[in-house]
């Protein structure tokens, strides 16, 4: 056969470690094309020749049929001279210089491997089965290029059979770096009391009987340990709460199958797509109002559940053997520390929490928490970006090379710039304890090494007390006084949303958020600004109010309720009918009133989060908060969506909630049901968002509105804001791939720093 044409194709993006070369090989064979494929230093390069229509079909199939975990950024096709190849081959990789930097996130076990696990003799019930399309990636990678000896699989020598599959171009495990079988690969071990089990059948039998018997088992997962128990057993779940020192926060649940999850949860088409995706995040879903229910303490009063499906082969084996539909699978840590990744750490730190320990002898190198998503307005939105998502890069339309963005403080992620890419770290956590700070520093060192980034420009939050800011300053100083840029928190929020949406022009930014230091020294958080990457101009904001006790009020939302009442109804208002009055007691109330009146330890804030806190506490929905944003979340949780009405928030040079606070107080007095008050409050906020955007539009003539900040993780607020803003004629931009909470801040910081550097102002 003579070739009539030849093409040179260069495919860039995440095409390494995801089965791309075998895919190209098979695609070429199917189209009767000859030539070669190789891993170049910046992507996969292909030479194909054959009939023109075959070539065209081949090229158009690349994007359509690409392996699920790959992500193609660019396909460059050029005419090439015909080389008269007689076959199609995978060529030896070119020297992998520092250019190859994309690391695949971890991939849930694929269907083919699940079926191999039943049929392949050397992998029957072998829980570390994987192939080029699935298995651990980022969690086991120590360095690049992605080769077995640079992963934690290096401790395991392949047996001849695995070696044969690894070397066979026709095999699905061709160059699958973690390839293993029960004769050569990692193994599980179950430790219970003084007994140890190594046989997989024994392990499964024992683990099932422990979980079904109400015990708590620490199970080593993909990116860290989990604590597991029967999700239908209230006593077991409550016991787990006690042992974890975490009273309030909902637990995530793993269901054996989509069908099992459907018996408990409302799952629409988009939710289902997220649940079954290879990234396997936790998806927050509404509980069914009729039908089966999980133990109350799983969600602890919330009418949603964080659900995920099995992702490791072991999870599948476990559910095949279990007689219950769902297990709690919460991160294996104590309170706010990072999740534990090593066997010894689990057996010591989780000694009090777990009755048994299920470990395996392969090291987890990069800690990753389960990612959390929510589908709002038809789109999957990241709440926590970690396993399955990180460290996939994000492409910016400008050069961000060598920028280090330190992120914020809560739910921290940092980021590094490499070429035109922003590489955001996995979820690090709240930088409030030494363990989390160590994880932060260690990960930063690793990202520098893995992605060959040598930071020359440092960007961080304006807040001097953030540990991330201190870290950034120290790094800048220790490296010869690198330039450092401090970015206002809400400007970074808006910039993150702009970057994600590819906007590079002045916009109206509306940020509703918890805490962020403003340029005037006050705490900001309901901000309307004209913003671009270069800077911002504050147009209007929620009226300042005293936040008595500073940070304490985030744990004691009733302090904000009191502050709002004092301001808008007067210090002498009779509040004895409010739940928090009796709870806190008149003496404490009087002390806090004094603090408010004289401004003692009562910084000024325009935070939207604190306004939600105030209303949540006024209505008695949440007086004390056990975890971040609990009060606003509980207020959203009780909404009666069919209730009519709204409250009056004035929007002008400031956003004035005074009338609303008075109306809410009188609704409480008149015993209007709390779910109705919640609905009216939420509608008032949405209306204030729309009108303040319009206020911004009147001042600037801009019709693009960018919304960001933690408050937009409120399902009701986000979906209604999008709808109402669109109805008003705005073009609305929201976040999906990165969290709208502080986990997305680093992306905004990178974009701002990159732009300011280009302009020569940084
Ligand atoms: Zn597979
Ligand atoms: Zn083997
Ligand atoms: Fe924030």
């Amino acid at each position: 056969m003579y070739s009539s044409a030849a093409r040179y194709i260069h495919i860039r993006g995440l095409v390494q470690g995801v089965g791309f070369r075998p895919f190209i090989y098979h695609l070429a064979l199917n189209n009767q094309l000859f030539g070669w494929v190789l891993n170049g230093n910046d992507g996969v390069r292909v030479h194909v020749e054959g009939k023109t229509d075959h070539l065209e079909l081949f090229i158009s199939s690349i994007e359509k049929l690409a392996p699920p975990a790959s992500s193609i950024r660019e396909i460059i096709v050029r005419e090439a001279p015909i080389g008269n190849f007689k076959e199609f081959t995978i060529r030896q990789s070119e020297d992998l210089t520092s250019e190859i930097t994309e690391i695949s996130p971890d991939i849930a076990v694929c269907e083919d491997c699940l079926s191999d696990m039943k049929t392949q003799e050397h992998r029957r019930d072998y829980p570390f089965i994987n192939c080029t399309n699935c298995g651990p990636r980022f969690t086991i990678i120590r360095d690049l290029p992605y080769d077995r000896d640079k992963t934690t699989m290096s401790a395991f020598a392949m047996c001849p059979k695995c070696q044969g599959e690894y070397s066979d171009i026709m095999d699905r495990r061709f160059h699958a770096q973690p390839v293993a079988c029960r004769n050569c690969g990692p193994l599980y071990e179950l430790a219970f009391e003084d007994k140890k089990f190594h046989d997989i059948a024994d392990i499964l039998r024992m683990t099932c009987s422990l979980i079904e018997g109400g015990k708590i088992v620490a199970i080593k997962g993909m990116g860290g340990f989990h604590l597991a128990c029967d999700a239908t057993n209230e006593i077991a779940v409550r016991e787990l709460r006690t042992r974890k020192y975490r009273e309030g926060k909902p637990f995530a649940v793993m269901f054996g199958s989509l069908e099992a999850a459907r018996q408990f949860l409302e799952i629409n088409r988009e939710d289902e797509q997220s649940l079954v995706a290879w990234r396997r995040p936790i998806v927050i879903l509404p509980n069914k109002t009729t039908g089966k229910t999980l133990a109350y303490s799983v969600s602890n009063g919330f009418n949603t559940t964080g659900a995920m499906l099995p992702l490791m082969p072991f999870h599948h084996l476990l559910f095949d053997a279990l007689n219950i539909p769902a297990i709690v699978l919460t991160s294996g840590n104590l309170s706010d520390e990072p999740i534990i990744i090593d066997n010894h750490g689990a057996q010591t730190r989780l000694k009090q929490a777990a009755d048994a320990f299920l470990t395996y002898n392969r090291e987890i190198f990069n800690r990753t928490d389960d990612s959390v998503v929510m589908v709002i307005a038809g789109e999957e939105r990241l709440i926590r970006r970690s396993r399955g998502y990180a460290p996939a890069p994000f492409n910016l339309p400008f050069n961000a090379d060598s920028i280090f963005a330190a992120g914020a403080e809560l739910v921290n992620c940092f980021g590094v710039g490499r070429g035109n890419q922003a590489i955001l770290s996995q979820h690090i956590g709240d930088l409030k304890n030494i363990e989390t700070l160590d994880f932060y520093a260690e990960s930063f060192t690793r990202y520098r090494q893995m992605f060959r980034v040598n930071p020359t420009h440092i960007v961080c939050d304006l807040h001097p007390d953030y540990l991330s800011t201190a870290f950034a300053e120290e790094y800048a100083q220790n490296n010869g006084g690198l330039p450092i840029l401090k970015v206002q928190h809400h400007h970074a929020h808006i910039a993150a949303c702009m970057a994600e949406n590819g906007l590079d022009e002045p916009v109206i930014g509306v940020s509703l958020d918890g805490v962020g230091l403003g340029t005037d020294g006050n705490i900001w958080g309901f901000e309307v600004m004209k913003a671009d990457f270069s800077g911002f101009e504050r147009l209007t904001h929620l009226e300042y109010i005293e936040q008595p006790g500073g940070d304490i009020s985030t744990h004691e939302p009733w302090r904000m309720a009191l502050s709002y009442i004092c301001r808008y109804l007067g210090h002498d208002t009779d509040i004895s009918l409010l739940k928090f009055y009796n709870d806190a007691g008149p003496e404490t109330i009087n002390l806090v009133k004094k603090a408010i009146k004289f401004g003692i330890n009562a910084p000024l804030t325009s935070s939207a989060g604190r306004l939600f806190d105030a209303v949540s506490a006024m209505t008695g929905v949440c007086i004390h908060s056990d975890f971040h944003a609990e009060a606003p979340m509980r207020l959203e949780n009780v909404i009666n969506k069919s209730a009519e009405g709204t409250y009056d928030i004035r929007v002008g040079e400031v956003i004035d909630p005074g009338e609303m606070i008075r109306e809410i107080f009188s609704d409480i007095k008149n015993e209007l049901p709390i779910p109705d008050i919640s609905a009216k409050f939420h509608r008032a906020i949405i209306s204030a968002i729309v009108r303040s955007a319009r206020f911004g539009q009147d001042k600037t003539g801009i019709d693009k509105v960018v919304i960001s900040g933690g408050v937009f993780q409120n399902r009701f607020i986000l979906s209604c804001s999008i709808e109402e803003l669109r109805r008003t004629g705005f073009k609305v931009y929201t976040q999906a791939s990165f969290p709208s909470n502080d986990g997305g801040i680093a992306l905004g910081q990178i974009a701002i720093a990159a732009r300011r550097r280009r302009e020569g102002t940084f």
Side-chain angles (χ1 to χ4, degrees):
M1 189 188 79
Y2 290 98
S3 298
S4 48
R7 297 283 184 275
Y8 169 79
I9 304 166
H10 184 181
I11 305 149
R12 298 174 68 196
L14 207 174
V15 288
Q16 264 218 319
V18 289
F20 213 87
R21 283 173 305 159
F23 155 71
I24 289 290
Y25 178 85
H26 290 290
L27 194 60
L29 288 196
N30 289 344
N31 288 291
Q32 296 146 44
L33 300 174
F34 296 149
W36 47 259
V37 55
L38 63 74
N39 259 337
N41 58 5
D42 59 347
V44 166
R45 294 158 192 270
V46 188
H47 176 96
V48 273
E49 51 189 54
K51 289 194 182 145
T52 316
D53 50 336
H54 289 179
L55 283 171
E56 255 144 46
L57 190 61
F58 173 85
I59 291 163
S60 67
S61 301
I62 294 176
E63 204 149 13
K64 249 183 271 165
L65 304 177
S70 67
S71 159
I72 297 173
R73 182 156 31 111
E74 192 179 20
I75 303 181
I76 301 157
V77 182
R78 279 206 310 263
E79 300 250 344
I82 292 170
N84 289 316
F85 289 95
K86 298 280 175 282
E87 55 180 356
F88 193 89
T89 54
I90 297 191
R91 284 196 173 173
Q92 197 65 36
S93 291
E94 280 178 359
D95 179 37
L96 299 175
T97 63
S98 67
E99 283 299 306
I100 284 273
T101 53
E102 297 207 9
I103 294 182
S104 168
D106 300 283
I107 309 167
V109 62
C110 73
E111 289 298 324
D112 290 337
C113 283
L114 286 176
S115 111
D116 285 351
M117 194 161 62
K118 292 197 172 79
T119 53
Q120 284 189 345
E121 195 40 50
H122 59 310
R123 296 201 183 89
R124 201 179 297 273
D125 290 344
Y126 178 63
F128 292 92
I129 192 165
N130 68 84
C131 71
T132 49
N133 298 317
C134 77
R137 296 287 186 275
F138 176 57
T139 50
I140 61 166
I141 292 176
R142 294 176 198 275
D143 199 4
L144 286 174
Y146 175 54
D147 276 322
R148 189 175 175 108
D149 63 353
K150 299 244 168 64
T151 73
T152 61
M153 282 300 293
S154 63
F156 303 91
M158 272 184 259
C159 71
K161 204 154 188 176
C162 286
Q163 182 72 57
E165 295 166 315
Y166 180 86
S167 318
D168 177 5
I169 180 102
M170 295 305 286
D171 198 282
R172 210 174 75 252
R173 297 191 172 82
F174 174 71
H175 282 197
Q177 304 304 342
V179 71
C181 75
R182 68 159 173 240
N183 301 316
C184 67
L187 296 168
Y188 274 93
E189 176 189 279
L190 177 71
F192 174 56
E193 292 175 339
D194 51 1
K195 294 183 285 291
K196 286 191 170 147
F197 303 86
H198 294 99
D199 182 76
I200 189 70
D202 293 341
I203 288 176
L204 286 166
R205 194 174 336 105
M206 270 309 292
T207 308
C208 287
S209 85
L210 285 165
I211 292 176
E212 286 163 4
K215 295 275 191 274
I216 295 163
V217 183
I219 301 179
K220 190 169 181 176
M222 187 94 96
F225 272 84
H226 284 125
L227 288 166
C229 73
D230 180 355
T232 61
N233 181 336
E234 175 62 20
I235 296 166
V237 180
R238 216 180 306 151
E239 178 66 18
L240 177 53
R241 284 203 178 278
T242 313
R243 294 197 201 167
K244 264 199 89 174
Y245 311 112
R246 181 166 89 161
E247 279 305 308
K249 212 171 181 176
F251 284 146
V253 169
M254 181 178 275
F255 289 90
S257 66
L258 194 57
E259 295 66 46
R262 271 193 210 289
Q263 300 186 320
F264 297 84
L265 307 170
E266 301 286 352
I267 303 172
N268 67 27
R269 268 226 338 266
E270 288 96 357
D271 296 325
E272 181 182 325
Q273 276 170 13
S274 292
L275 272 173
V276 304
W278 61 266
R279 301 176 189 276
R280 281 294 195 287
I282 293 169
V283 185
I284 299 178
L285 295 161
N287 298 337
K288 274 202 165 142
T289 43
T290 55
K292 293 191 180 179
T293 52
L294 298 171
Y296 175 86
S297 292
V298 169
S299 291
N300 222 11
F302 285 96
N303 51 29
T304 52
T305 299
M308 78 179 137
L309 295 179
L311 57 117
M312 297 172 82
F314 182 83
H315 298 145
H316 288 272
L317 292 172
L318 182 64
F319 275 101
D320 285 347
L322 267 175
N323 286 312
I324 49 173
I327 56 173
V328 164
L329 214 52
T330 185
S331 43
N333 57 354
L334 296 179
S335 42
D336 291 328
E337 294 173 8
I339 49 167
I340 291 163
I341 55 173
D342 66 299
N343 297 351
H344 179 72
Q347 270 145 350
T348 49
R349 308 278 304 146
L350 299 177
K351 205 178 162 82
Q352 308 304 321
D355 298 301
F357 293 87
L358 181 61
T359 59
Y360 56 77
N361 59 348
R362 180 178 67 206
E363 191 192 335
I364 296 171
F365 189 69
N366 293 306
R367 172 187 288 114
T368 58
D369 288 79
D370 295 315
S371 292
V372 182
V373 307
M374 212 182 330
V375 177
I376 307 176
E379 262 189 274
E380 179 186 286
R381 319 257 174 190
L382 266 291
I383 306 286
R384 182 166 75 195
R385 186 177 177 276
S386 193
R387 178 184 49 74
Y389 295 85
F394 182 80
N395 299 304
L396 293 166
F398 38 72
N399 176 26
D401 200 53
S402 304
I403 292 171
F404 163 51
E409 174 160 86
L410 296 176
V411 294
N412 176 283
C413 289
F414 64 84
V416 292
R418 199 177 182 293
N420 278 25
Q421 294 185 324
I423 304 166
L424 278 296
S425 78
Q426 72 270 40
H427 165 79
I428 302 289
D430 297 348
L431 297 181
K432 291 199 158 183
N433 54 54
I434 190 72
E435 290 83 3
T436 312
L437 191 63
D438 285 348
F439 174 33
Y440 179 89
E442 175 191 80
S443 300
F444 174 52
T445 304
R446 288 181 179 178
Y447 274 63
R448 269 169 27 227
Q449 191 204 333
M450 279 191 293
F451 299 107
R452 320 290 199 257
V453 172
N454 183 21
T456 57
H457 290 73
I458 314 299
V459 53
C460 64
D461 197 276
L462 192 62
H463 204 308
D465 298 340
Y466 284 1
L467 290 179
S468 56
T469 304
F471 183 90
E473 281 173 333
E474 204 181 302
Y475 185 80
Q477 202 165 37
N478 292 345
N479 287 275
L482 298 173
I484 183 163
L485 180 70
K486 296 187 177 175
V487 173
Q488 200 280 322
H489 189 88
H490 303 101
H491 183 210
H493 269 305
I494 297 302
C497 186
M498 286 173 62
E500 183 177 337
N501 288 287
L503 283 173
D504 190 0
E505 61 188 86
V507 299
I508 303 289
V510 180
S511 184
L512 271 73
D513 198 35
V515 183
L517 184 64
T519 48
D520 59 358
N522 294 324
I523 304 166
W524 292 9
F526 189 150
E527 306 304 317
V528 181
M529 53 177 71
K530 176 187 170 190
D532 56 22
F533 292 131
S534 309
F536 71 95
E537 180 194 340
R538 198 182 192 198
L539 299 174
T540 179
H541 60 86
L542 185 66
E543 188 154 23
Y544 284 131
I545 189 159
E546 294 79 12
Q547 181 173 327
D551 273 352
I552 299 171
S553 71
T554 60
H555 304 289
E556 297 184 0
W558 65 266
R559 287 167 179 264
M560 285 315 299
L562 189 61
S563 189
Y564 269 101
I565 290 166
C566 288
R567 167 73 65 90
Y568 294 111
L569 286 122
H571 282 255
D572 301 324
T573 312
D574 177 9
I575 54 166
S576 57
L577 79 161
L578 300 179
K579 214 159 131 191
F580 77 80
Y581 179 82
N582 289 316
D583 197 82
E587 263 172 55
T588 312
I589 298 265
N590 276 331
L591 268 172
V592 175
K593 269 190 185 172
K594 263 190 201 134
I596 294 165
K597 193 165 184 174
F598 300 108
I600 306 157
N601 188 21
L604 291 177
T605 183
S606 59
S607 160
R610 297 296 82 74
L611 176 59
F612 276 75
D613 280 356
V615 176
S616 192
M618 261 172 89
T619 51
V621 170
C622 184
I623 294 167
H624 296 275
S625 169
D626 283 337
F627 58 91
H628 182 64
E630 179 178 3
M633 284 166 68
R634 292 208 181 271
L635 192 60
E636 177 192 5
N637 193 54
V638 302
I639 295 184
N640 171 15
K641 284 179 190 152
S642 53
E644 305 267 313
T646 184
Y647 295 119
D648 186 12
I649 298 178
R650 307 256 159 89
V651 175
E653 297 297 325
V654 292
I655 298 164
D656 173 6
E659 193 52 34
M660 174 176 77
I661 296 296
R662 288 185 285 271
E663 290 168 347
I664 290 175
F665 191 74
S666 98
D667 273 351
I668 295 170
K669 255 192 183 158
N670 296 329
E671 295 179 8
L672 188 73
I674 303 302
D676 296 18
I677 296 179
S678 171
K680 289 170 79 175
F681 167 72
H682 278 82
R683 284 204 197 95
I685 294 291
I686 292 153
S687 159
I689 289 168
V690 175
R691 284 178 293 128
S692 61
R694 213 183 296 144
F695 179 83
Q697 186 184 30
D698 290 345
K699 284 206 156 179
T700 62
I702 297 167
D703 69 346
K704 290 187 174 167
V705 57
V706 167
I707 56 182
S708 180
V711 171
F712 290 104
Q713 293 190 334
N714 179 314
R715 224 181 253 266
F716 192 74
I717 298 279
L718 180 60
S719 56
C720 296
S721 296
I722 293 172
E723 217 179 287
E724 295 293 317
L725 284 164
R726 281 202 184 128
R727 202 194 326 244
T728 316
F730 282 108
K731 296 191 185 78
V732 190
Y733 300 88
T734 60
Q735 282 155 292
S737 307
F738 294 91
S740 67
N741 63 30
D742 289 2
I745 286 279
L747 179 61
Q749 291 177 340
I750 288 185
I752 291 168
R755 168 50 51 93
R756 294 277 304 269
R757 183 171 64 181
R758 200 170 82 185
E759 286 171 352
T761 53
F762 167 40

